[in-house]
Amino acid sequence: MSLGNSISLLLAVLCIANASAADSPKPVIVCSTTQVADFARQVVGDRMIVKSVLAAGQDPHLYEKKPGDAQLVSTADLCLENGWHLEGNDWMRKLAEQSGRPLVTCADGCKPLEVPGVEQAMHDPHAWFSCTNAATYVRNIRDAVAEVDPDHAEEYRSRAALYLDELRALNTWILREINKIPVEQRVLVTSHDAFNYFCQAYGMKAATPVGWSTGNEIGAGITPERRQQTVDSIRQHHVKAIFVETSVNPTMVREIAREAHVEIGGELYSDSMGAEGTAGETYIGMMRENVITIVQALR
């Protein structure tokens, strides 16, 4: 065989191999929430396809399964949920079970805060608002994808290690920024109890008129007592501003602001990140923007 023919044969083999690799489908991860999806993308890079059931601005507590959700989940090699009943009536868990797909609860391993005012013990599901807890989510995802795709486990560990460094830097920055607010002004009033982990981690006090969920689960919903407690807390601490949330109807908070004679300090990302192209489209972006909004309004 001539040299030219040998080279042609080699090129043909390489083309076939490359075409075969290109045709090989990437594993699919289906996530319940936008935060979980962002954590997953940070770990897998382009190695896997990451999809989210929820879109930016959607409320996981109130979300109702749609006909296409079961089809989406059925394509997954791995499903990821926040867990701890963030997904109202455990809709993500039910979708995964119905499709027979493996499911990882990303909040597992975090130190939970208990939902106050309920007879049965329930974990507050908004654990990602502490950067330390967010790191636990990332480790859970790292370990899960390494099991799905062990051939590239070292890649996933490397990406996760870099992202964990970024979360530690974010945590340090948040502490520094919150320290700009006078101690007596560090009261965070929002639409519902989404920020208890944030307040515990960063030295603030939470006050909300609604419980941990915007849905009708146990312990959720506004009561006259909670509303009055919120107004009293605003007045007692001479709170300068209160906040609405991007995924929650702002009407009630605006009414409380008028009643308590305080300003609306801005919109905070809570149960959902921002839309693509916004400053809050990633977890680090949403946390950064939230902190800047809080500090500018309360300092």
Side-chain angles (χ1 to χ4, degrees):
M1 181 181 297
S2 68
L3 178 59
N5 288 338
S6 297
I7 293 174
S8 297
L9 179 60
L10 177 59
L11 290 174
V13 170
L14 290 174
C15 287
I16 293 170
N18 288 336
S20 177
D23 293 340
S24 178
K26 295 180 180 179
V28 174
I29 302 175
V30 176
C31 307
S32 59
T33 71
T34 54
Q35 287 92 343
V36 169
D38 185 53
F39 293 145
R41 291 188 185 100
Q42 301 299 327
V43 174
V44 304
D46 292 329
R47 186 63 68 181
M48 296 186 180
I49 298 171
V50 178
K51 301 179 180 180
S52 176
V53 175
L54 291 186
Q58 288 187 302
D59 186 338
H61 300 293
L62 298 178
Y63 185 75
E64 295 183 2
K65 293 182 292 183
K66 294 179 173 55
D69 293 340
Q71 174 60 32
L72 175 64
V73 169
S74 71
T75 66
D77 296 277
L78 176 68
C79 293
L80 301 175
E81 67 166 1
N82 182 91
W84 294 2
H85 307 296
L86 177 75
E87 297 85 357
N89 298 311
D90 294 327
W91 52 261
M92 186 64 182
R93 179 169 295 277
K94 291 174 182 177
L95 284 168
E97 289 174 350
Q98 289 164 4
S99 297
R101 313 316 296 165
L103 177 71
V104 170
T105 297
C106 295
D108 281 354
C110 298
K111 184 177 180 180
L113 297 176
E114 297 303 318
V115 174
V118 298
E119 295 181 2
Q120 65 189 76
M122 294 183 67
H123 297 339
D124 182 337
H126 304 88
W128 68 88
F129 272 115
S130 152
C131 290
T132 300
N133 287 340
T136 297
Y137 282 52
V138 171
R139 293 187 189 98
N140 287 336
I141 294 168
R142 174 199 64 195
D143 295 344
V145 298
E147 187 171 335
V148 169
D149 182 21
D151 289 345
H152 300 101
E154 191 56 38
E155 273 189 33
Y156 305 135
R157 285 191 284 268
S158 293
R159 289 194 192 92
L162 174 60
Y163 191 60
L164 291 171
D165 285 344
E166 294 173 1
L167 291 178
R168 281 189 284 271
L170 176 65
N171 188 69
T172 300
W173 175 83
I174 293 173
L175 288 167
R176 186 175 67 244
E177 291 297 303
I178 295 298
N179 279 337
K180 296 177 181 178
I181 305 172
V183 173
E184 65 275 10
Q185 289 291 325
R186 295 179 194 174
V187 180
L188 185 61
V189 181
T190 57
S191 303
H192 80 297
D193 267 340
F195 289 88
N196 287 324
Y197 291 94
F198 179 90
C199 289
Q200 183 192 63
Y202 304 113
M204 298 193 72
K205 173 183 170 62
T208 68
V210 177
W212 67 275
S213 171
T214 55
N216 58 4
E217 294 94 339
I218 294 172
I222 186 171
T223 64
E225 293 77 15
R226 284 190 67 103
R227 182 187 177 110
Q228 189 58 49
Q229 287 169 4
T230 302
V231 173
D232 291 344
S233 184
I234 292 169
R235 290 171 175 165
Q236 175 187 350
H237 294 279
H238 305 288
V239 173
K240 295 174 64 176
I242 64 178
F243 303 88
V244 297
E245 300 174 30
T246 57
S247 58
V248 179
N249 190 314
T251 301
M252 178 180 53
V253 171
R254 295 189 186 282
E255 291 173 354
I256 288 174
R258 285 193 294 270
E259 182 178 345
H261 304 292
V262 296
E263 299 293 328
I264 297 293
E267 250 188 346
L268 303 181
Y269 298 104
S270 58
D271 291 343
S272 177
M273 299 190 314
E276 184 177 354
T278 67
E281 69 175 327
T282 65
Y283 173 78
I284 289 178
M286 67 165 268
M287 292 290 282
R288 179 193 65 231
E289 297 306 307
N290 279 356
V291 170
I292 289 172
T293 299
I294 291 167
V295 171
Q296 291 301 310
L298 298 183
R299 63 184 301 182

